[in-house]
Amino acid sequence: MASTSPNADNDGTTDQVLVEDCRFTRILTLNRPQQLNALSTPMIMKLLKLFVAYEKDSDVKLLIVKGNGRAFSAGGDVASVARSVAQGQWALGTEFLRNQYTLDYIIATYGKPQVSILDGIVMGGGAGVSIHGRFRVVTEKTCIAFSAVLIVTGRKTTKDVFTMPETSLGFFPDIGASYFLSRLPGFFGEYVGLTGARLDGAEMLACGLATHFVPSTNLAYLEDLLTKVETSDPFVICASIDQFSQMVPLKASSAYNRLDIIDKCFSKETVEEIISALEKESASMADEWIVVAIQALKKASPISLKVTLRSIREGRLQGVDRCLTMEFRLCCHILRLEASKDFLEGFRAILVDKDRNPKWEPPRLDLVDSKVVDQYFAEVDDANWEELKLPSRRNLAANYVSKM
């Protein structure tokens, strides 16, 4: 019989991660539904503790991770990070990210299978604790975007926030996105990362971000079957999920149907060349996704676009550990406001004043100095700064595979 952990941690706070014990399976439920399960520090620390403990526990064969409510997770609870930066305490923000990236790395190299059930909104940090796992199950309700959603506890979040990419917030797709976006077919990862395009379950399955599509009405049956699994054999688990999995067609309007055009445009060397190529295509065809992509690129932070493109390109040649280490450096430079204050300006324009009119610094792509972009990828020049030091892992091969 399954048992559920108490609803409070040792510090007396409401439990933000529910744990259900089912013989050889553990079900971890992200439990901040009012905040769309945005990842808080207590949530990240508890997940770290559980993942480390379960990997050592021979009685645990499989982990299932899901969200309570209409979201799996709408990203990291990084409003506190922005406030710390505004107060000149950038190091507090980097500690949040250090713990989050460590969790992502443990998941990416986990020695036991993880089944992530993505039945709803998935963004930013939510992608980090799911996409890096071995099995990613999506439904007709799934919507993913690599956006830095800044959730404040107790504050209602509107739906339009989910259309805003990291580059529109003066940030970039992190949580190991430079690793898995760079491994999507062709240059689809550049398209998703630069434009912040939202993908549905069918698109995630087609490009490899998901391994299975299961109708939401069958999730309870799938969970029940998985709780009876007595092995960590990924082929047995895959076969179990296959019993409920379906192949679903892409919508006619899906940009993934035009991967040839995406490859032609997003393979260009610079962001300026990508925009120019898209504008040429737009002049000869009336596809809405091209117009939307151009608009997103022109509204985004120029320096964030440059950093994002380079991070994905470098990610193609790196393992997940080096990708996370690179991204941590980028985050530190951004939070230190070294060359630009776009992170705070994006936070102000999108989620504080909500005027949707950020004043980027610099304001145009052609004004972004290549030496400044180089600086973002270098070590941080601060005596108190430390590189991201990831734990030693037995399973050095990442669990993420674009196709099962």
Side-chain angles (χ1 to χ4, degrees), residues 53-306:
Y54 291 151
E55 193 167 34
K56 298 175 181 177
D57 189 342
S58 59
D59 289 336
V60 178
K61 308 296 185 184
L62 169 68
L63 298 184
I64 298 174
V65 183
K66 63 179 184 176
N68 181 15
R70 66 188 185 93
F72 174 80
S73 173
D77 191 358
V78 291
S80 58
V81 175
R83 289 194 294 267
S84 298
V85 171
Q87 296 167 4
Q89 298 176 313
W90 67 274
L92 294 179
T94 64
E95 284 309 301
F96 175 89
L97 295 169
R98 191 184 299 272
N99 292 324
Q100 181 175 332
Y101 287 12
T102 300
L103 173 62
D104 294 338
Y105 182 61
I106 287 174
I107 291 173
T109 57
Y110 208 59
K112 297 177 181 180
Q114 171 185 335
V115 177
S116 303
I117 298 179
L118 309 177
D119 186 36
I121 299 164
V122 189
M123 303 186 77
V129 298
S130 57
I131 300 298
H132 288 296
R134 185 62 183 268
F135 299 102
R136 290 90 62 190
V137 177
V138 295
T139 75
E140 73 282 359
K141 298 178 182 179
T142 304
C143 174
I144 192 169
F146 295 94
S147 304
V149 181
L150 310 182
I151 304 292
V152 181
T153 301
R155 184 174 297 176
K156 188 176 180 180
T157 306
T158 58
K159 215 169 185 178
D160 346 346
V161 173
F162 305 128
T163 66
M164 305 307 298
E166 276 99 338
T167 49
S168 289
L169 284 165
F171 211 62
F172 71 102
D174 63 329
I175 46 84
S178 61
Y179 178 80
F180 56 76
L181 288 183
S182 65
R183 283 155 176 79
L184 297 186
F187 292 86
F188 194 66
E190 278 89 339
Y191 162 70
V192 171
L194 289 169
T195 67
R198 291 182 294 176
L199 305 180
D200 61 23
E203 289 169 317
M204 289 181 66
L205 184 67
C207 75
L209 284 172
T211 58
H212 297 81
F213 183 102
V214 175
S216 58
T217 53
N218 287 337
L219 290 179
Y221 303 110
L222 172 62
E223 271 190 50
D224 183 63
L225 180 60
L226 291 175
T227 60
K228 297 178 172 62
V229 168
E230 300 181 1
T231 176
S232 292
D233 187 334
F235 293 100
V236 173
I237 294 165
C238 184
S240 298
I241 305 174
D242 284 344
Q243 295 184 41
F244 301 96
S245 182
Q246 298 180 3
M247 294 302 297
V248 286
L250 293 169
K251 295 177 181 177
S253 59
S254 172
Y256 196 75
N257 288 321
R258 301 311 307 268
L259 191 57
D260 56 334
I261 302 299
I262 287 176
D263 287 351
K264 180 180 178 181
C265 297
F266 285 86
S267 61
K268 302 300 183 183
E269 187 174 347
T270 67
V271 179
E272 293 94 327
E273 290 173 323
I274 289 173
I275 294 174
S276 177
L278 285 169
E279 288 177 333
K280 289 180 181 178
E281 293 296 331
S282 180
S284 60
M285 63 177 64
D287 282 6
E288 183 182 0
W289 71 268
I290 298 182
V291 175
V292 172
I294 294 171
Q295 290 174 345
L297 290 168
K298 289 188 174 181
K299 288 179 180 179
S301 159
I303 196 166
S304 294
L305 289 173
K306 298 269 188 175

Side-chain angles (χ1 to χ4, degrees), residues 36 91 178 201 214 270 307 311 348:
L36 302 181
S178 61
V214 175
T270 67
V307 168
S311 70
R348 179 205 64 77

